Amino acid sequence: MASSRGLSMVDLPVLDGGRSRSVTDQVFDLLYDRVVTLALPPGAKLSEAEVAAQMGVSRQPVRDAFYRLSQLGFIEIRPQRATIVTPISEDAVLQAYFIRAALEESCMRVAVQRLTQDHLVALARLIDLQAQEIRAGNRAAFHALDDRFHHDICAFAGLEFVWTLIRDNKGHMDRARYLSLSYGSETAFAEHGQILEALRHRDADAAVAAVRQHLSRIEGILARLRLDQPQVFG
């Protein structure tokens, strides 16, 4: 495995009790983000007590968040032993890809009809911001803007619920994608431009083809990771 370090090496914030989201949701979101961005890599150990202490919460919401993460396949809860972050599963990544591609391709056909000029300008601004983060070498910021680009296409098309479905299913894909950003962000950036160009021309077939090509990169990413970082896989 990449690491067997404890959670104490990961900086978790004390939660703000004034937020509208439940404590369990906040704990889940923070841990999910750390797993997806590999701040908690495969093999990392988690402790209910340590997470609760760092975040200033009781152990019950942490236990509930652990359960949700385990149901998604991101952690393995082992009674009387340390809970660990699971290896990346190629099957889970490819299943996430299948779901995401089907949903986004359908979304593109609606988006070419519904996006306004203001929407297209907003998407172009996001691409400009992505270019800035690539130049700055800020992988985490680029990843967030990448998600925002795909989210906003769904939202502008009036299909916010589609992004909710994608978000709930894409985490395994994101773990592999995040590892590739050190060498793949410029390709992803260029493909975002192709998607936007197809949307500008109201060309549904071109938009579908562009997003299909963009998302299918995950197969090449997996092949490269198997060679470069085999320790992240189970």
Side-chain angles (χ1 to χ4, degrees):
M1 292 299 143
S3 172
S4 60
R5 65 185 179 179
L7 186 65
S8 59
M9 296 183 67
V10 176
D11 182 23
L12 290 168
V14 175
L15 292 189
D16 177 2
R19 294 187 181 183
S20 59
R21 289 174 62 78
S22 74
V23 173
T24 296
D25 285 345
Q26 292 180 62
V27 173
F28 171 83
D29 287 347
L30 286 161
L31 292 177
Y32 178 95
D33 178 71
R34 271 125 177 106
V35 170
V36 167
T37 62
L38 285 300
L40 283 169
K45 295 178 180 178
L46 295 170
S47 159
E48 272 185 23
E50 192 172 352
V51 171
Q54 284 197 39
M55 303 183 80
V57 300
S58 69
R59 292 181 64 166
Q60 186 59 51
V62 176
R63 186 174 299 119
D64 293 341
F66 275 20
Y67 176 75
R68 288 170 60 182
L69 289 165
S70 73
Q71 292 297 105
L72 291 172
F74 291 123
I75 67 173
E76 180 183 355
I77 299 172
R78 306 181 299 176
Q80 310 306 317
R81 300 170 64 193
T83 292
I84 62 169
V85 177
T86 58
I88 292 175
S89 162
E90 291 188 59
D91 285 345
V93 171
L94 292 174
Q95 287 170 17
Y97 159 60
F98 183 88
I99 293 168
R100 181 171 184 180
L103 290 169
E104 288 209 45
E105 287 175 25
S106 296
C107 182
M108 288 297 149
R109 295 197 178 276
V110 178
V112 296
Q113 301 175 35
R114 293 186 178 176
L115 265 58
T116 67
Q117 186 60 35
D118 286 346
H119 292 149
L120 295 171
V121 169
L123 292 172
R125 288 193 188 117
L126 280 177
I127 289 179
D128 289 342
L129 291 174
Q130 290 170 16
Q132 293 176 27
E133 298 304 343
I134 289 174
R135 289 193 294 269
N138 193 335
R139 184 167 66 168
F142 177 82
H143 180 77
L145 289 167
D146 184 326
D147 264 9
R148 177 70 182 275
F149 178 78
H150 289 272
H151 162 271
D152 284 2
I153 292 173
C154 294
F156 292 159
L159 300 172
E160 181 86 37
F161 74 94
V162 171
W163 182 254
T164 300
L165 291 170
I166 291 169
R167 183 196 62 210
D168 290 348
N169 284 281
K170 73 186 182 72
H172 291 282
M173 193 176 173
D174 281 348
R175 293 174 83 190
R177 286 178 57 246
Y178 198 85
L179 283 171
S180 76
L181 289 179
S182 60
Y183 57 83
S185 56
E186 291 188 7
T187 299
F189 167 76
E191 290 170 348
H192 289 163
Q194 293 167 7
I195 293 168
L196 178 58
E197 197 62 19
L199 292 172
R200 280 179 174 147
H201 285 89
R202 309 291 178 183
D203 188 333
D205 289 340
V208 167
V211 82
R212 181 183 299 136
Q213 177 186 28
H214 178 57
L215 296 177
S216 70
R217 296 285 181 193
I218 194 64
E219 295 171 317
I221 289 169
L222 286 174
R224 179 162 177 173
L225 289 177
R226 281 195 297 270
L227 294 175
D228 295 347
Q229 300 188 58
Q231 72 277 5
V232 303
F233 294 103

